[in-house]
Amino acid sequence: MTSVKTPADEAEARAIQDELRHRVVLTESGPPPGHGFVTGVDVAYDDTRDLVAAAAVVLDAATLEVVQEATAVGHVSFPYVPGLLAFRELPTVLAALDALTVEPGLVVCDGYGLAHPRGFGLACHLGVVTGLPSIGVAKNPFTFTHEEPGTRRGDAAALLAADGAEVGRALRTQDGTKPVYVSVGHKVSLDNACAHVLALSPRFRIPETTRRADSLCRRALREAS
């Protein structure tokens, strides 16, 4: 079973990020869109009971049909600290992934990868500890600037760090809707990450991986409560 250490405090959490950040692989393009499996992961919280529920939903990348799904419920083991969200979510997400009996393929996280204040968001952390190719697809912008992308599906604009480096893209997945925010996690190129997100979003703004994982983890939390 894949596991991660729960840090004792914020300082230790940042030290772990600093250690693992150098293991992110940025030289691989990743699996091609529309082939193999792709897995969405997401979490839901019950703050009154300190519960977190995670879901992993495996889709056939060609048809977007569900191949397998798994959930896990646990107690929150780390406080909410901006930039350290992975330490709250990863233990339960990894438990859900470990419950799968098929290889996940590309993992799509509801969050960020390199587009993170410390360059090591949830998608990077998950990719490094599992060895799986991973990307982050966030619904809202974080701390980076970008021009407004064009209004048509597939239009994109670079997410820029303070030094001008491209750390992700604001990507329009449907005509006239708000963009989503795509960043590399591990073993995937940014161009390929964006191509995957478009392939996973044939009808809605949010990729099917995230939509299905979001619904499943909310249901798991209701049942646990």
Side-chain angles (χ1 to χ4, degrees), residues 30 38 47 53 57 66 162 169 186-187 194 215 220:
V38 59
D47 293 325
V57 180
V66 175
R169 286 184 193 147
H186 186 59
K187 295 184 177 180
C194 290
S215 176

Side-chain angles (χ1 to χ4, degrees), residues 50-74:
D50 283 334
L51 288 179
V52 56
V57 180
V58 184
L59 302 184
D60 182 310
T63 65
L64 302 187
E65 294 296 321
V66 175
V67 174
Q68 192 177 29
E69 54 189 31
T71 60
V73 179

Side-chain angles (χ1 to χ4, degrees), residues 18-195:
D18 289 339
E19 176 189 355
L20 296 180
R21 182 169 58 240
H22 302 292
R23 303 183 192 178
V24 172
V25 174
L26 300 176
T27 56
E28 297 183 16
S29 60
H35 296 269
F37 293 156
V38 59
T39 298
V41 295
D42 202 1
V43 301
Y45 291 96
D46 181 344
D47 293 325
T48 61
R49 300 179 64 191
D50 283 334
L51 288 179
V52 56
V57 180
V58 184
L59 302 184
D60 182 310
T63 65
L64 302 187
E65 294 296 321
V66 175
V67 174
Q68 192 177 29
E69 54 189 31
T71 60
V73 179
H75 287 280
V76 177
S77 58
F78 195 79
Y80 172 75
V81 180
L84 302 178
L85 189 62
F87 294 100
R88 283 171 64 85
E89 299 191 353
L90 263 183
T92 316
V93 168
L94 293 176
L97 285 171
D98 281 336
L100 298 171
T101 60
V102 299
E103 285 297 315
L106 175 74
V107 180
V108 181
C109 300
D110 179 24
Y112 282 96
L114 293 179
H116 177 272
R118 299 173 60 78
F120 195 71
L122 173 65
C124 294
H125 204 145
L126 183 148
V128 167
V129 299
T130 63
L132 296 169
S134 58
I135 64 175
V137 184
K139 302 178 186 73
N140 300 299
F142 199 13
T143 60
F144 300 96
T145 60
H146 66 88
E147 300 291 334
E148 187 68 14
T151 61
R152 303 301 298 273
R153 171 179 161 86
D155 289 341
L159 289 179
L160 300 175
D163 62 0
E166 184 181 34
V167 293
R169 286 184 193 147
L171 176 67
R172 196 87 65 184
T173 56
Q174 301 296 326
D175 291 354
T177 65
K178 294 192 300 182
V180 296
Y181 301 87
V182 181
S183 56
V184 168
H186 186 59
K187 295 184 177 180
V188 185
S189 70
L190 183 54
D191 284 345
N192 198 21
C194 290

